[in-house]
Amino acid sequence: MADEIGSPKIRGPKDPVKKGEVVEFKSLIKHPMESGLRKDKATDTLIPAHFIESVVVEYGGKTVLKAVWTGAVSKDPFFSFFVKAEASGPLKMTWKDNKGQAFEASATLTVA
Amino acid sequence: MVMNQNNAVTRRTFFRTAGAVGAAVATSGLLNVPLTLAEEAAAPAVDVDALVAKQMGAGAIAMEKVQLDIPATAENAALVRMPVVIDHPMEANNFIQSVALFIDNNPNPFIAQFDLTPESGKAAIEFRARMAKSSKVRVVAKSNTGKLYGLVKEIQVAAGGCAG
């Protein structure tokens, strides 16, 4: 399973944007998002919970978005959101799961 | 379900109405996944109203401004698109600070919460959720001044769908 977790990706606009423009970012990460409520049919035991429970987006030295997720967010979660472009710089996203594992990805926003 | 867009209904009234529709659907046998008696006994109804109040604060929820533009039938229950848009400014002193989603018939109805800021620029997010079975999906948004906006949508899960 371990090799199926991670590969966090985030993508924003490729081209420079104007200051004040509201731009979309799309992210993907590989994660089983096990709710802890699903049974392994072979052994008839519950599969332990293993899901991303927090997501943080930082841009321009500030936290611009925070999310709390549960095991009801789909496997290999896709997540998109918007940010208002103020200055060129990285936009960093951090995912943390309930086992304490953290993943990071960033995208560079260029403000012309 | 028809809601008067101009009136702020109380949270209680709003969910009572929504609940009545859900019950009507259930008793009319339209649901694809009828519960057996044993399953019903094993799954006590969760008080989603209380959950919403706990998560977002108690108060009247205005049934406006929130959009969830998805078909009423989900083909894949394990991957139901949840594109949420709230028609509200995102200015320094007037913004949506929190959006939460609830799926009544999931074992744990609380799905996710997103805390936004004026730097978000636009109160819109999208993710995908698992649905255990056909259910009401509730979206509740809270402004920085504590105003609550909501939307309830019945989503049918296609037969054979598996929550995964």
mmCIF file of all heavy atoms in Angstrom, chain B residues 61-87:
data_model
loop_
_atom_site.group_PDB
_atom_site.id
_atom_site.type_symbol
_atom_site.label_atom_id
_atom_site.label_comp_id
_atom_site.label_asym_id
_atom_site.label_seq_id
_atom_site.Cartn_x
_atom_site.Cartn_y
_atom_site.Cartn_z
ATOM 1 N N ILE B 61 -30.858 29.537 8.947
ATOM 2 C CA ILE B 61 -30.092 29.330 7.719
ATOM 3 C C ILE B 61 -30.921 29.850 6.547
ATOM 4 O O ILE B 61 -32.043 29.389 6.324
ATOM 5 C CB ILE B 61 -29.771 27.831 7.505
ATOM 6 C CG1 ILE B 61 -28.931 27.300 8.675
ATOM 7 C CG2 ILE B 61 -29.030 27.634 6.178
ATOM 8 C CD1 ILE B 61 -28.644 25.815 8.609
ATOM 9 N N ALA B 62 -30.390 30.824 5.842
ATOM 10 C CA ALA B 62 -31.083 31.348 4.672
ATOM 11 C C ALA B 62 -30.828 30.419 3.502
ATOM 12 O O ALA B 62 -29.682 30.104 3.188
ATOM 13 C CB ALA B 62 -30.582 32.756 4.359
ATOM 14 N N MET B 63 -31.912 29.978 2.853
ATOM 15 C CA MET B 63 -31.762 29.036 1.741
ATOM 16 C C MET B 63 -31.461 29.797 0.453
ATOM 17 O O MET B 63 -32.281 29.863 -0.459
ATOM 18 C CB MET B 63 -33.035 28.206 1.593
ATOM 19 C CG MET B 63 -33.356 27.388 2.810
ATOM 20 S SD MET B 63 -32.011 26.292 3.268
ATOM 21 C CE MET B 63 -32.059 25.153 1.897
ATOM 22 N N GLU B 64 -30.308 30.376 0.414
ATOM 23 C CA GLU B 64 -29.919 31.153 -0.763
ATOM 24 C C GLU B 64 -28.398 31.193 -0.868
ATOM 25 O O GLU B 64 -27.702 30.789 0.047
ATOM 26 C CB GLU B 64 -30.470 32.577 -0.652
ATOM 27 C CG GLU B 64 -30.011 33.275 0.618
ATOM 28 C CD GLU B 64 -30.512 34.699 0.748
ATOM 29 O OE1 GLU B 64 -31.434 35.067 0.020
ATOM 30 O OE2 GLU B 64 -29.954 35.429 1.572
ATOM 31 N N LYS B 65 -27.933 31.696 -1.971
ATOM 32 C CA LYS B 65 -26.518 31.958 -2.266
ATOM 33 C C LYS B 65 -25.655 30.705 -2.514
ATOM 34 O O LYS B 65 -24.587 30.804 -3.094
ATOM 35 C CB LYS B 65 -25.842 32.801 -1.174
ATOM 36 C CG LYS B 65 -26.459 34.176 -1.001
ATOM 37 C CD LYS B 65 -25.598 35.052 -0.110
ATOM 38 C CE LYS B 65 -26.343 36.279 0.384
ATOM 39 N NZ LYS B 65 -26.688 37.192 -0.720
ATOM 40 N N VAL B 66 -26.097 29.534 -2.040
ATOM 41 C CA VAL B 66 -25.260 28.337 -2.170
ATOM 42 C C VAL B 66 -25.675 27.524 -3.402
ATOM 43 O O VAL B 66 -26.858 27.283 -3.607
ATOM 44 C CB VAL B 66 -25.367 27.450 -0.911
ATOM 45 C CG1 VAL B 66 -24.485 26.221 -1.047
ATOM 46 C CG2 VAL B 66 -24.993 28.243 0.335
ATOM 47 N N GLN B 67 -24.703 27.147 -4.199
ATOM 48 C CA GLN B 67 -24.974 26.323 -5.379
ATOM 49 C C GLN B 67 -24.181 25.020 -5.320
ATOM 50 O O GLN B 67 -23.019 25.029 -4.921
ATOM 51 C CB GLN B 67 -24.554 27.062 -6.654
ATOM 52 C CG GLN B 67 -25.309 28.347 -6.928
ATOM 53 C CD GLN B 67 -24.579 29.187 -7.969
ATOM 54 O OE1 GLN B 67 -24.067 28.660 -8.947
ATOM 55 N NE2 GLN B 67 -24.508 30.484 -7.739
ATOM 56 N N LEU B 68 -24.858 23.955 -5.718
ATOM 57 C CA LEU B 68 -24.201 22.652 -5.852
ATOM 58 C C LEU B 68 -24.728 22.090 -7.163
ATOM 59 O O LEU B 68 -25.789 21.480 -7.219
ATOM 60 C CB LEU B 68 -24.571 21.732 -4.673
ATOM 61 C CG LEU B 68 -23.951 20.340 -4.692
ATOM 62 C CD1 LEU B 68 -22.440 20.399 -4.547
ATOM 63 C CD2 LEU B 68 -24.539 19.461 -3.603
ATOM 64 N N ASP B 69 -23.995 22.355 -8.219
ATOM 65 C CA ASP B 69 -24.497 22.076 -9.559
ATOM 66 C C ASP B 69 -24.113 20.671 -10.011
ATOM 67 O O ASP B 69 -23.140 20.474 -10.737
ATOM 68 C CB ASP B 69 -23.941 23.147 -10.517
ATOM 69 C CG ASP B 69 -24.593 23.060 -11.883
ATOM 70 O OD1 ASP B 69 -25.625 22.373 -11.999
ATOM 71 O OD2 ASP B 69 -24.073 23.672 -12.828
ATOM 72 N N ILE B 70 -24.884 19.685 -9.535
ATOM 73 C CA ILE B 70 -24.620 18.291 -9.926
ATOM 74 C C ILE B 70 -25.944 17.619 -10.269
ATOM 75 O O ILE B 70 -26.996 18.047 -9.812
ATOM 76 C CB ILE B 70 -23.894 17.485 -8.810
ATOM 77 C CG1 ILE B 70 -24.662 17.569 -7.475
ATOM 78 C CG2 ILE B 70 -22.464 17.939 -8.652
ATOM 79 C CD1 ILE B 70 -24.118 16.632 -6.405
ATOM 80 N N PRO B 71 -25.883 16.536 -11.055
ATOM 81 C CA PRO B 71 -27.116 15.823 -11.393
ATOM 82 C C PRO B 71 -27.746 15.200 -10.144
ATOM 83 O O PRO B 71 -27.035 14.896 -9.177
ATOM 84 C CB PRO B 71 -26.650 14.723 -12.356
ATOM 85 C CG PRO B 71 -25.267 15.063 -12.754
ATOM 86 C CD PRO B 71 -24.697 15.931 -11.687
ATOM 87 N N ALA B 72 -29.049 14.973 -10.178
ATOM 88 C CA ALA B 72 -29.758 14.406 -9.032
ATOM 89 C C ALA B 72 -29.470 12.917 -8.858
ATOM 90 O O ALA B 72 -29.813 12.326 -7.845
ATOM 91 C CB ALA B 72 -31.256 14.634 -9.173
ATOM 92 N N THR B 73 -28.855 12.311 -9.856
ATOM 93 C CA THR B 73 -28.477 10.902 -9.749
ATOM 94 C C THR B 73 -26.969 10.772 -9.920
ATOM 95 O O THR B 73 -26.410 11.270 -10.895
ATOM 96 C CB THR B 73 -29.180 10.054 -10.834
ATOM 97 O OG1 THR B 73 -30.585 10.238 -10.687
ATOM 98 C CG2 THR B 73 -28.852 8.586 -10.692
ATOM 99 N N ALA B 74 -26.346 10.124 -8.953
ATOM 100 C CA ALA B 74 -24.896 9.923 -9.012
ATOM 101 C C ALA B 74 -24.620 8.542 -9.585
ATOM 102 O O ALA B 74 -25.149 7.548 -9.090
ATOM 103 C CB ALA B 74 -24.289 10.055 -7.633
ATOM 104 N N GLU B 75 -23.815 8.480 -10.635
ATOM 105 C CA GLU B 75 -23.542 7.187 -11.254
ATOM 106 C C GLU B 75 -22.558 6.365 -10.441
ATOM 107 O O GLU B 75 -22.661 5.158 -10.362
ATOM 108 C CB GLU B 75 -22.997 7.390 -12.676
ATOM 109 C CG GLU B 75 -24.113 7.762 -13.623
ATOM 110 C CD GLU B 75 -23.634 7.912 -15.046
ATOM 111 O OE1 GLU B 75 -22.525 7.457 -15.360
ATOM 112 O OE2 GLU B 75 -24.380 8.513 -15.832
ATOM 113 N N ASN B 76 -21.594 7.055 -9.840
ATOM 114 C CA ASN B 76 -20.598 6.350 -9.044
ATOM 115 C C ASN B 76 -20.620 6.921 -7.622
ATOM 116 O O ASN B 76 -20.161 8.029 -7.384
ATOM 117 C CB ASN B 76 -19.215 6.516 -9.678
ATOM 118 C CG ASN B 76 -18.145 5.742 -8.944
ATOM 119 O OD1 ASN B 76 -18.385 5.198 -7.856
ATOM 120 N ND2 ASN B 76 -16.957 5.692 -9.522
ATOM 121 N N ALA B 77 -21.175 6.129 -6.707
ATOM 122 C CA ALA B 77 -21.351 6.605 -5.335
ATOM 123 C C ALA B 77 -20.029 6.879 -4.627
ATOM 124 O O ALA B 77 -19.980 7.612 -3.650
ATOM 125 C CB ALA B 77 -22.153 5.584 -4.538
ATOM 126 N N ALA B 78 -18.946 6.275 -5.123
ATOM 127 C CA ALA B 78 -17.643 6.465 -4.478
ATOM 128 C C ALA B 78 -16.959 7.745 -4.930
ATOM 129 O O ALA B 78 -15.962 8.159 -4.353
ATOM 130 C CB ALA B 78 -16.743 5.270 -4.768
ATOM 131 N N LEU B 79 -17.496 8.357 -5.974
ATOM 132 C CA LEU B 79 -16.883 9.559 -6.559
ATOM 133 C C LEU B 79 -17.977 10.534 -6.968
ATOM 134 O O LEU B 79 -18.265 10.687 -8.149
ATOM 135 C CB LEU B 79 -16.090 9.185 -7.816
ATOM 136 C CG LEU B 79 -14.670 8.663 -7.692
ATOM 137 C CD1 LEU B 79 -14.176 8.169 -9.035
ATOM 138 C CD2 LEU B 79 -13.730 9.730 -7.169
ATOM 139 N N VAL B 80 -18.586 11.162 -5.990
ATOM 140 C CA VAL B 80 -19.648 12.113 -6.316
ATOM 141 C C VAL B 80 -19.059 13.521 -6.287
ATOM 142 O O VAL B 80 -18.562 13.972 -5.251
ATOM 143 C CB VAL B 80 -20.833 11.998 -5.332
ATOM 144 C CG1 VAL B 80 -21.976 12.907 -5.776
ATOM 145 C CG2 VAL B 80 -21.304 10.553 -5.217
ATOM 146 N N ARG B 81 -19.094 14.180 -7.433
ATOM 147 C CA ARG B 81 -18.523 15.534 -7.528
ATOM 148 C C ARG B 81 -19.272 16.480 -6.610
ATOM 149 O O ARG B 81 -20.494 16.474 -6.574
ATOM 150 C CB ARG B 81 -18.646 16.066 -8.966
ATOM 151 C CG ARG B 81 -17.639 15.499 -9.936
ATOM 152 C CD ARG B 81 -17.868 16.094 -11.317
ATOM 153 N NE ARG B 81 -17.699 17.543 -11.300
ATOM 154 C CZ ARG B 81 -18.564 18.421 -11.798
ATOM 155 N NH1 ARG B 81 -19.684 18.012 -12.342
ATOM 156 N NH2 ARG B 81 -18.315 19.700 -11.740
ATOM 157 N N MET B 82 -18.530 17.287 -5.869
ATOM 158 C CA MET B 82 -19.141 18.267 -4.988
ATOM 159 C C MET B 82 -18.580 19.654 -5.331
ATOM 160 O O MET B 82 -17.694 20.167 -4.630
ATOM 161 C CB MET B 82 -18.841 17.922 -3.518
ATOM 162 C CG MET B 82 -19.474 16.626 -3.058
ATOM 163 S SD MET B 82 -21.265 16.780 -2.857
ATOM 164 C CE MET B 82 -21.724 15.060 -2.667
ATOM 165 N N PRO B 83 -19.055 20.245 -6.422
ATOM 166 C CA PRO B 83 -18.592 21.588 -6.756
ATOM 167 C C PRO B 83 -19.481 22.626 -6.059
ATOM 168 O O PRO B 83 -20.642 22.796 -6.414
ATOM 169 C CB PRO B 83 -18.766 21.653 -8.285
ATOM 170 C CG PRO B 83 -19.833 20.636 -8.591
ATOM 171 C CD PRO B 83 -19.988 19.714 -7.409
ATOM 172 N N VAL B 84 -18.948 23.268 -5.049
ATOM 173 C CA VAL B 84 -19.728 24.217 -4.251
ATOM 174 C C VAL B 84 -19.346 25.640 -4.635
ATOM 175 O O VAL B 84 -18.152 25.971 -4.680
ATOM 176 C CB VAL B 84 -19.471 23.994 -2.746
ATOM 177 C CG1 VAL B 84 -20.212 25.033 -1.907
ATOM 178 C CG2 VAL B 84 -19.883 22.587 -2.334
ATOM 179 N N VAL B 85 -20.348 26.455 -4.923
ATOM 180 C CA VAL B 85 -20.104 27.871 -5.208
ATOM 181 C C VAL B 85 -21.041 28.680 -4.324
ATOM 182 O O VAL B 85 -22.239 28.373 -4.237
ATOM 183 C CB VAL B 85 -20.375 28.200 -6.698
ATOM 184 C CG1 VAL B 85 -20.145 29.686 -6.967
ATOM 185 C CG2 VAL B 85 -19.499 27.357 -7.612
ATOM 186 N N ILE B 86 -20.512 29.689 -3.656
ATOM 187 C CA ILE B 86 -21.355 30.567 -2.848
ATOM 188 C C ILE B 86 -21.277 31.964 -3.444
ATOM 189 O O ILE B 86 -20.189 32.525 -3.601
ATOM 190 C CB ILE B 86 -20.938 30.552 -1.360
ATOM 191 C CG1 ILE B 86 -21.114 29.130 -0.822
ATOM 192 C CG2 ILE B 86 -21.803 31.507 -0.544
ATOM 193 C CD1 ILE B 86 -19.913 28.586 -0.186
ATOM 194 N N ASP B 87 -22.449 32.464 -3.803
ATOM 195 C CA ASP B 87 -22.546 33.757 -4.459
ATOM 196 C C ASP B 87 -22.474 34.846 -3.383
ATOM 197 O O ASP B 87 -23.495 35.328 -2.898
ATOM 198 C CB ASP B 87 -23.887 33.796 -5.219
ATOM 199 C CG ASP B 87 -24.080 35.116 -5.936
ATOM 200 O OD1 ASP B 87 -23.081 35.816 -6.142
ATOM 201 O OD2 ASP B 87 -25.232 35.430 -6.273
#
